[in-house]
């Protein structure tokens, strides 16, 4: 049986005090920015909220619900506040963290950008509902597939942050590559539907806006995943 590979936790290099708080970190986190104790916990808090926002975002594309939109907006505001708190703490970290700090300093901002892309998609959903614009059944099927895959990517990336499982990290990267290709394929399929008169012209730019936002959100997860992979290799060699 092949032995699973794990990499050194780069977050503990910056926040060694976390060693006694593993249980706290691995729980769900309805926590505010001011309650965070370190980078790793803060990222998990943000990621939990991004996962919830992703679910709310997809439901908004099916049927806009005022209560869910308000909840989504609250989570988005918390993500913005947490990014500022975490990035500020990182900038003030000891310079002895060196290249590890340099590699991780953009993680909170990348999480915030993922939230921005989810907000952009929810804005599209609101415009779609306001103007009575309909997506084709095929478009909804494609968006459901993207949603399922992106949730899988976020959930597994969260697991990578807590377990440092290198095989799972490689899986996340492969899923991200597949997700990117899906957005390209769906854009081409949409173009064919538009030319064949199977897509509502008013829906075209909205649908493409969603694909673009999804592509950018995925790119940020991939950038962080590749950074972790490079860190894993460099820390293993030291």
């Amino acid at each position: 049986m092949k032995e699973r590979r794990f990499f050194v936790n780069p977050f503990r290099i910056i926040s060694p005090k976390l060693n006694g708080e593993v249980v706290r970190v691995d729980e769900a986190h309805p926590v505010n920015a001011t309650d965070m104790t370190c980078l790793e916990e803060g990222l998990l808090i943000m990621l939990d909220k991004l996962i919830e926002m992703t679910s709310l975002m997809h439901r908004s594309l099916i049927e806009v619900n005022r209560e869910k939109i308000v909840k989504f907006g609250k989570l988005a505001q918390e993500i913005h506040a947490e990014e500022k708190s975490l990035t500020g703490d990182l900038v003030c970290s000891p310079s002895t963290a060196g290249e590890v700090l340099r590699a991780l300093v953009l993680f909170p901002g990348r999480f915030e950008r993922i939230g921005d892309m989810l907000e952009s998609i929810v804005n599209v959903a609101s415009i779609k509902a306001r103007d009575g614009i309909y997506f084709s059944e095929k478009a909804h099927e494609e968006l459901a597939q993207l949603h399922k895959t992106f949730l899988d990517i976020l959930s597994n990336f969260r697991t990578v942050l807590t377990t440092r499982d290198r095989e799972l990290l490689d899986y996340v990267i492969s899923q991200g590559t597949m997700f990117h290709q899906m957005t390209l394929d769906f854009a081409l399929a949409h173009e064919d539907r538009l030319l064949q008169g199977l897509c509502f012209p008013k829906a075209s730019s909205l649908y493409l806006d969603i694909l673009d936002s999804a592509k950018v959100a995925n790119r940020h997860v991939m950038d962080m995943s590749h950074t972790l992979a490079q860190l894993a290799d460099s820390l293993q060699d030291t």
Side-chain angles (χ1 to χ4, degrees):
M1 182 177 177
K2 183 180 177 181
E3 184 176 346
R4 298 192 71 83
R5 296 182 297 132
F6 300 91
F7 57 90
V8 175
N9 189 337
F11 303 104
R12 303 290 170 89
I13 295 175
I14 296 176
S15 304
K17 68 177 182 177
L18 189 65
N19 288 329
E21 302 177 4
V22 177
V23 175
R24 173 181 163 91
V25 164
D26 200 34
E27 295 172 346
H29 290 284
V31 181
N32 293 319
T34 53
D35 297 321
M36 296 184 297
T37 61
C38 60
L39 173 63
E40 185 177 5
E41 182 181 36
L43 291 177
L44 289 173
I45 291 169
M46 293 180 77
L47 193 44
D48 285 339
K49 292 175 181 179
L50 288 174
I51 289 171
E52 186 174 359
M53 286 170 67
T54 301
S55 296
L56 291 169
M57 173 271 297
H58 182 65
R59 289 199 287 271
S60 294
L61 286 172
I62 300 171
E63 181 181 4
V64 174
N65 179 291
R66 178 62 183 169
E67 183 178 339
K68 288 184 173 60
I69 292 294
V70 170
K71 185 175 184 181
F72 181 96
K74 182 175 183 296
L75 290 169
Q77 290 176 355
E78 291 172 0
I79 289 288
H80 291 304
E82 287 157 3
E83 184 278 327
K84 291 178 177 61
S85 177
L86 284 178
T87 301
D89 288 345
L90 276 174
V91 171
C92 295
S93 292
S95 58
T96 52
E99 291 305 310
V100 176
L101 176 59
R102 180 181 294 274
L104 300 178
V105 71
L106 294 180
F107 273 42
R110 292 197 184 282
F111 276 13
E112 182 183 35
R113 289 294 292 141
I114 294 170
D116 289 342
M117 294 304 101
L118 297 178
E119 284 188 90
S120 177
I121 294 174
V122 166
N123 288 337
V124 168
S126 297
I127 293 171
K128 175 176 171 289
R130 183 197 68 197
D131 296 346
I133 297 173
Y134 297 93
F135 285 170
S136 68
E137 183 177 343
K138 186 61 178 176
H140 277 294
E141 290 176 1
E142 291 168 350
L143 292 177
Q145 189 176 352
L146 285 174
H147 171 252
K148 180 180 179 181
T149 304
F150 192 61
L151 266 184
D152 182 61
I153 290 170
L154 288 181
S155 298
N156 282 302
F157 187 69
R158 187 193 191 285
T159 302
V160 167
L161 294 184
T162 58
T163 65
R164 282 109 39 222
D165 185 325
R166 182 53 190 269
E167 277 74 22
L168 186 59
L169 176 57
D170 291 340
Y171 171 76
V172 169
I173 292 173
S174 69
Q175 286 292 95
T177 301
M178 181 184 73
F179 185 92
H180 176 77
Q181 187 60 50
M182 286 167 58
T183 61
L184 299 179
D185 292 342
F186 291 167
L188 288 175
H190 164 74
E191 183 179 335
D192 288 340
R193 290 195 298 271
L194 186 62
L195 292 173
Q196 295 169 19
L198 301 176
C199 170
F200 301 104
K202 288 183 179 180
S204 180
S205 61
L206 296 181
Y207 182 74
L208 291 176
D209 195 342
I210 292 173
L211 292 185
D212 288 343
S213 296
K215 190 189 308 179
V216 173
N218 176 67
R219 189 188 72 214
H220 284 295
V221 182
M222 290 305 98
D223 286 344
M224 289 184 287
S225 297
H226 285 296
T227 295
L228 285 180
Q230 292 167 2
L231 273 178
D233 293 339
S234 65
L235 292 174
Q236 186 178 21
D237 294 338
T238 57

